[in-house]
Amino acid sequence: MDSGSDAPFNVDRRIAERLRTLRQERGWSLEDLAGRSAVSRATLSRLENAEVSATATVLGRLCQAYGITLSRLMHLVEDDFPPLVPRADQTVWEDARSGFTRRIVSPPARALVGEAMEGALRPGARIIYDGPPRAGLEHHLVLLQGTLHITVDGMAYTLHPGDCLRYQLRGPSRFDADAVAGARYLLFTV
């Protein structure tokens, strides 16, 4: 196919991905959204899987349910992220008081769902979070160096280099770095 004939499919695919992300960010099921938008669950599923193209009427109902304008939705689906994020362009933030440094390896983008960050905790550092920014946020944490004790929703885990902890965060969490070696890890969120 020529690139011109792929364009409608690509836009439909990006709209589908954005619609799915908007619903998931709110923690809504397809049934919840169907009730809020007066669009059937079957149609919503087909839209989110890019099996059909959305009509202006359906997009209008969905935008109303999400509390955004149609132009805002279209802006959210623009494919405007750079595929390469050089290390020199990655944002680093340091909380010297707690001993935590965060490097945003793969920053959020409108058309992408996942993000990646590198965290480093100095020896003995502790970070406590009261809750997630969004209930059910999916985490994949890979420990690179040191030892890390993590408590997620009341369950305690100890990670060693190469270990991966996967979880959906719904409540508080705590990160305790080894008292001698500290900890360095990669965290992928979806």
Side-chain angles (χ1 to χ4, degrees):
M1 276 186 211
D2 65 65
S3 60
S5 62
D6 285 342
F9 174 78
N10 289 334
V11 171
D12 287 342
R13 172 60 60 194
R14 290 195 309 265
I15 289 172
E17 291 168 357
R18 177 47 52 191
L19 291 174
R20 182 181 315 105
T21 300
L22 285 168
R23 181 177 58 77
Q24 291 173 340
E25 285 174 348
R26 286 159 176 78
W28 296 347
S29 67
L30 286 171
E31 290 80 13
D32 294 334
L33 181 55
R36 295 170 188 267
S37 66
V39 177
S40 75
R41 183 195 180 287
T43 298
L44 293 171
S45 177
R46 293 179 72 207
L47 285 171
E48 287 188 7
N49 289 310
E51 295 171 3
V52 296
S53 296
T55 65
T57 300
V58 168
L59 285 179
R61 288 179 183 169
L62 293 173
C63 287
Q64 185 176 20
Y66 290 127
I68 61 174
T69 65
L70 185 55
S71 61
R72 174 74 178 145
L73 175 65
M74 290 298 111
H75 180 69
L76 290 172
V77 301
E78 291 175 356
D79 197 14
D80 66 347
F81 65 91
L84 175 65
V85 184
R87 185 176 180 104
D89 294 342
Q90 297 170 10
T91 302
V92 176
W93 174 79
E94 184 175 355
D95 179 359
R97 184 174 173 186
S98 69
F100 177 57
T101 302
R102 165 182 254 174
R103 181 171 58 91
I104 305 301
V105 177
S106 178
R110 288 181 196 88
L112 300 176
V113 177
E115 301 174 31
M117 61 84 65
E118 177 184 16
L121 292 165
R122 73 176 171 233
R126 171 180 285 172
I127 304 278
I128 299 173
Y129 298 101
D130 293 331
R134 170 176 53 88
L137 186 63
E138 185 177 329
H139 289 79
H140 298 259
L141 189 147
V142 179
L143 188 66
L144 301 174
Q145 294 176 333
T147 302
L148 186 60
H149 306 282
I150 302 177
T151 304
V152 178
D153 296 332
M155 296 292 298
Y157 305 91
T158 298
L159 281 73
H160 302 281
D163 290 349
C164 178
L165 180 64
R166 306 176 299 172
Y167 55 95
Q168 289 182 310
L169 191 56
R170 300 190 189 287
S173 59
R174 188 175 85 199
F175 292 62
D176 291 291
D178 180 77
V180 175
R184 189 170 67 87
Y185 58 89
L186 289 175
L187 178 64
F188 304 91
T189 58
V190 181

